Amino acid sequence: MAHEEDALQHDRASWKPSSGLAVSTPDPVQGPGLPPHRERMTDKDPAIMARAVRTVYTLFYLSVAGSIWAVVAYMVFPIEDGQLVSIHHNNMFVGLGIAFALLAIGIGAIHWSKAIMADKEHIEPRHATRGRDTTREGAVAAFAAANEESGFGRRTMIRNSLFAAVLASVVPGVVLFRGLAPQDENPVELLSHTMWKQGMRLAHDPSGRPIKASEVTLGSAFHVIPEELSKLSHDEGYLDQKAKAIVLLMRLPEEQLIEAEDRKSWSYDGIVAYSKVCTHVGCPVALYEQLTHHLLCPCHQSQFDVADGAKVIFGPAARPLPQLPITVDSEGYLVARSDFTEPVGPSFWERH
């Protein structure tokens, strides 16, 4: 009780103006007050109120239907064949289902608050906030009043349909994320082999024009694909093959290269080729600093030292970028000696 009285005295003290700082105004501005209260049609006519209730829970159940449709569309329009039309249909119909589900929840909640919940104006004077026991009791009473005025506890159809809509809206996300997980194929085996093979020329991305060693100058960086990749169509798996075989080609002064004994033949005249797929989560490593010879992944800031076998010098990546062994053919074009000798891409696929 003493605690409440002390807080009340302090509260009253905050209402008193400071001595010498009060300003007297001969014609103070009067508060305009609240406009006259206008009753809603739902407050006047029980039939209209019943119709509004039906509208709200119908919207929530339509949201459930939209979530279910998103899951069905994900299965009816698969993307496993890799065709652009299939990807387009999958994205469109799944997206429409999720968008309709969330939109119906939003419209239903707004209609509920505008047409069904208690409609009255309330003025709360400003005062210093206190953590008194009466304040806590008032908060509990406010929640109880909100429950009563909103009808959340009484209107079971609205409440249950809202719960169903919110729970159903999560299902499409669960299904979509599950689709990103490995299916029947082992990802380590899929990433262990790419289109690169002995004698295949290195070509510009995306034109597919072969690259001569004489074109690669000191400090330059080339985005490279296998020459035969440019001959594939999207229906034949162009994007899947490119995602694994993409390479970054750079030329450094030979004396600055630090090469292991078993990899000295993997470069040519200071030209080295490394996988462009980050070993952290697979982002494209495409930012090259020619003065430091560092490669930067823009997604999570992993850095690799090209001069020292693309070793990780900063960031979350767990291993160096895989190196593509290269040489030149009789016409001076850069060619691969073999495929990568280790899996490309994220390291977590190799964990057992």
Side-chain angles (χ1 to χ4, degrees), residues 28-187:
V29 177
Q30 300 296 325
L34 293 174
H37 178 70
R38 296 176 57 186
E39 288 190 343
R40 304 169 301 185
M41 293 302 298
T42 50
D43 297 326
K44 299 177 182 179
D45 190 341
I48 297 179
M49 172 63 80
R51 185 163 63 245
V53 171
R54 289 195 299 271
T55 301
V56 171
Y57 67 67
T58 299
L59 284 168
F60 289 155
Y61 283 128
L62 287 176
S63 173
V64 175
S67 298
I68 295 174
W69 165 249
V71 175
V72 173
Y74 180 76
M75 300 175 183
V76 173
F77 303 98
I79 58 176
E80 280 73 15
D81 57 10
Q83 296 185 13
L84 291 180
V85 174
S86 300
I87 297 174
H88 171 73
H89 287 165
N90 182 276
N91 290 342
M92 180 176 66
F93 290 112
V94 172
L96 286 175
I98 295 175
F100 183 79
L102 297 179
L103 181 64
I105 290 179
I107 296 176
I110 293 173
H111 192 57
W112 183 9
S113 65
K114 285 184 172 293
I116 300 174
M117 292 185 181
D119 180 34
K120 64 180 182 179
E121 292 79 14
H122 175 69
I123 298 177
E124 182 179 0
R126 292 185 179 181
H127 57 81
T129 57
R130 297 292 183 271
R132 296 175 296 183
D133 294 337
T134 53
T135 302
R136 298 189 180 97
E137 294 172 0
V140 174
F143 277 106
N147 177 59
E148 179 63 26
E149 294 172 359
S150 66
F152 192 82
R154 294 182 291 105
R155 302 188 184 281
T156 56
M157 287 296 293
I158 289 181
R159 184 187 64 221
N160 295 340
S161 61
L162 175 61
F163 287 157
V166 172
L167 292 175
S169 67
V170 181
V171 176
V174 174
V175 174
L176 292 176
F177 281 114
R178 175 60 184 89
L180 297 176
Q183 304 297 323
D184 298 329
E185 298 176 293
N186 186 347

Side-chain angles (χ1 to χ4, degrees), residues 252 256-260 263 272 274 292-294 304-313 320-321 323:
L252 291 69
Q256 295 184 10
L257 282 177
I258 304 174
E259 298 178 292
R263 293 194 175 191
V272 290
Y274 288 98
T292 61
H293 309 310
H294 292 171
F304 306 87
D305 188 356
V306 176
D308 190 9
K311 291 182 178 178
V312 182
I313 56 176
L321 296 172
Q323 183 175 1

Side-chain angles (χ1 to χ4, degrees), residues 131 155 205 220 250 284 345:
R155 302 188 184 281
D205 177 28
S220 61
M250 296 140 291

